[in-house]
Amino acid sequence: MVPLQFGFPGGIELLVLFGIFLVVPVVLGFVLAYWVYTDADGRGDENAALWALAVGVLLITTFFGGLLAFAVYIWQRE
C-alpha cells in the first residue's frame, strides 16, 4: 500500500468535516428553534412561531445569522 503524497483528505477526515459543517448547524437549528418556540409560547408571545422559524432557518442557512437572531430574541424577551 502506497501512502498518499499530497495529503488528500478521505475517510475519517471527510466524515469529521461533514459533521462539523453540515450536521451540527442543522441539529443546533432544530434544537434552538424548538426551545425558542416553547419559551415564547410559554410567555404568551403571539409571534412564537415566527421567532422559532427565524432562528431555525437562519441557523441552518447562515450560522452566525441564526446566532444573531437568537441573541435578539433573548434580548427582547425580557
Side-chain angles (χ1 to χ4, degrees), residues 17-48:
L17 288 176
F18 175 75
I20 290 173
F21 291 115
L22 200 62
V23 173
V24 170
V26 170
V27 170
L28 189 62
F30 283 124
V31 167
L32 280 182
Y34 176 75
W35 183 84
V36 165
Y37 178 76
T38 56
D39 183 62
D41 194 39
R43 292 177 178 271
D45 190 357
E46 56 192 35
N47 294 326

